[in-house]
Amino acid sequence: MQPLTTWRLEDGVLIEQRGKRERRVALNTVRRLHLTPARGRLAAGAILGLPRGQLGVYSGQALSLKATPAPETFAPFVAALAKATAQASPTARFTVPAMATMGTVIGAAVLLGSGALAVGGFAALAGQIDIGLALASHMAFVAILALALVPWLDRRAGRFDPLAIPPGLLG
């Protein structure tokens, strides 16, 4: 049984208090703030990327046996945390989960293209050029289809303005 964890902000410092233990994190050391929505048994939260690891601030237990709604004080606290972090650490990145980012699609296309070259090369070495060319052309076609998505993807997908948190993200 762990004691209740409470969070508060004081002059650019995030204070985590768990029972008698108190931990202070200066917000000017935060490199990334990632918001996570509540999904199933996972609680909504904010994950702070620090120079030495990460710190999770959750609306309830990070993983509970039953889904519980976030308390009404959690979303305003995370909004205040994002604003204070933006002021204290101007180089920090503010991210939210994204379905597909440009880097992911381009990375998949590069892997498919290199796989097509490898299949074609190994098939040529084995003397099976006809089947190697067929397999490589199928893989190259899928890579071209993946690259066709790039114009519709936003470069800033998965990022948010700390002064305007997307509505409904934190419950």
Side-chain angles (χ1 to χ4, degrees):
M1 195 58 115
Q2 291 186 359
L4 182 67
T5 303
T6 58
W7 304 92
R8 64 182 191 273
L9 287 171
E10 289 181 3
D11 299 326
V13 176
L14 176 66
I15 301 169
E16 171 192 21
Q17 190 168 4
R18 181 177 293 171
K20 293 181 181 181
R21 195 190 84 162
E22 188 174 281
R23 177 179 176 188
R24 295 177 172 267
V25 177
L27 293 179
N28 61 358
T29 62
V30 174
R31 294 181 179 164
R32 182 174 62 94
L33 188 140
H34 181 77
L35 297 181
T36 58
R39 285 178 290 188
R41 297 181 345 181
L42 296 175
I47 300 171
L48 300 172
L50 303 171
R52 290 184 172 205
Q54 297 180 349
L55 174 65
V57 178
Y58 295 100
S59 62
Q61 292 178 330
L63 180 64
S64 62
L65 296 176
K66 58 182 178 178
T68 57
E72 52 277 346
T73 58
F74 181 69
F77 175 75
V78 171
L81 175 64
K83 288 177 187 174
T85 302
Q87 291 171 352
S89 180
T91 59
R93 288 186 1 220
F94 298 90
T95 60
V96 293
M99 290 300 290
T101 62
M102 188 177 292
T104 306
V105 172
I106 291 175
V110 167
L111 285 175
L112 283 167
S114 60
L117 289 175
V119 165
F122 286 129
L125 287 175
Q128 300 292 323
I129 295 176
D130 53 347
I131 193 159
L133 187 59
L135 290 173
S137 65
H138 284 86
M139 291 176 73
F141 180 69
V142 173
I144 291 168
L145 285 178
L147 288 175
L149 292 174
V150 169
W152 287 278
L153 296 177
D154 186 11
R155 289 183 188 269
R156 297 188 49 84
R159 302 226 176 150
F160 74 95
D161 180 14
L163 302 177
I165 293 179
L169 182 67
L170 297 172

